[in-house]
Amino acid sequence: MKITVLTLFPEMFAPLSESILGRAQNSGKIQIDIVNIRDYAENKHFKCDDYPFGGGSGMVMTPQPIGSAIKAVDPEHKAHRVYMSPKGETFKQSKVFGLLQYEHVILLCGHYEGVDQRVIDLYIDEEISIGDYVLTGGELPAMVVCDCVARYVDGVISDGSLVDESFSNGGLEYPQYTRPAEYEGLKVPEVLLSGDHKKIDGWRRAESEKITAARRPDLLKGGNQ
């Protein structure tokens, strides 16, 4: 799978070369390309923003550099093009699996007061938001999408690790423990030391249901679909 990120601040994406995502890219399981929108500006100062028509505070990203960048990386519109926007559909687990269907996904990062609407009308297939809040730009949301999607690409993470985590079965994950068996007076639940896998599975289901009911009751009604 290939993900292309269009941004004015490519340096922000250094974390994507670390840890699991870094290893996945080095092994060729996923390709993440970071493209500087400013490289496609056609004015002598490489300016990519201007004042909004109609007045108002802040600046708006101009259409030409973005449009040229998109046409350069996806001239035949074979990729699925996404604009990271607080006005978009909320990013949930089901959306992760939806994006996995595409061989190439483009993530456009807005900044300042956003991008000229004509960019969205002409070049974007959908808008995605990572939550009901506003950030300074789309870079952090794009990193979230990269991380979420990449970990489900075949071979990036072992299949077993993806089965029992939060949202995989519609609820939140059960508590996890490791050595030592006792730490500062707190002991690992005896059932996890019993070796009885049937009892362990039952304990984990019960704990998952309890945590989900307390923290995210909406998920019990299909709220993450």
Side-chain angles (χ1 to χ4, degrees), residues 2-90:
K2 179 180 179 180
I3 300 176
T4 301
V5 180
L6 305 182
T7 175
L8 291 176
F9 303 96
E11 297 84 1
M12 290 184 66
F13 290 87
L16 296 184
S17 63
E18 301 294 331
S19 188
I20 293 172
L21 267 64
R23 293 195 295 271
Q25 292 178 79
N26 291 335
S27 62
K29 293 182 175 63
I30 188 168
Q31 179 181 343
I32 301 177
D33 294 338
I34 310 300
V35 175
N36 191 339
I37 296 171
R38 203 174 300 279
D39 291 341
Y40 293 89
E42 295 177 356
N43 58 82
K44 66 178 182 178
H45 297 297
F46 299 99
K47 183 177 174 60
C48 294
D49 62 337
D50 212 328
Y51 295 103
F53 281 125
S57 61
M59 305 289 278
V60 176
M61 290 177 64
T62 54
Q64 179 275 310
I66 300 173
S68 296
I70 291 175
K71 288 184 283 188
V73 301
D74 184 33
E76 299 179 7
H77 199 163
K78 293 183 177 180
H80 185 66
R81 302 167 176 178
V82 177
Y83 172 45
M84 305 308 304
S85 164
K87 295 185 292 184
E89 181 181 351
T90 302

Side-chain angles (χ1 to χ4, degrees), residues 22-157:
R23 293 195 295 271
Q25 292 178 79
N26 291 335
S27 62
K29 293 182 175 63
I30 188 168
Q31 179 181 343
I32 301 177
D33 294 338
I34 310 300
V35 175
N36 191 339
I37 296 171
R38 203 174 300 279
D39 291 341
Y40 293 89
E42 295 177 356
N43 58 82
K44 66 178 182 178
H45 297 297
F46 299 99
K47 183 177 174 60
C48 294
D49 62 337
D50 212 328
Y51 295 103
F53 281 125
S57 61
M59 305 289 278
V60 176
M61 290 177 64
T62 54
Q64 179 275 310
I66 300 173
S68 296
I70 291 175
K71 288 184 283 188
V73 301
D74 184 33
E76 299 179 7
H77 199 163
K78 293 183 177 180
H80 185 66
R81 302 167 176 178
V82 177
Y83 172 45
M84 305 308 304
S85 164
K87 295 185 292 184
E89 181 181 351
T90 302
F91 190 56
K92 297 182 178 181
Q93 197 71 13
S94 57
K95 179 61 66 177
V96 175
F97 297 132
L99 293 178
L100 282 167
Q101 300 176 15
Y102 301 101
E103 293 184 5
H104 185 192
V105 174
I106 295 174
L107 303 178
L108 170 61
C109 302
H111 221 79
Y112 315 119
E113 295 301 315
V115 305
D116 189 298
Q117 180 63 35
R118 290 167 292 185
V119 168
I120 300 171
D121 295 341
L122 290 169
Y123 301 114
I124 297 300
D125 297 315
E126 72 169 321
E127 299 179 55
I128 290 179
S129 167
I130 63 167
D132 295 338
Y133 45 85
V134 179
L135 300 170
T136 57
E139 284 75 19
L140 291 175
M143 281 186 263
V144 168
V145 172
C146 286
D147 188 280
C148 288
V149 172
R151 64 197 305 276
Y152 283 95
V153 173
D154 288 343
V156 173
I157 294 180

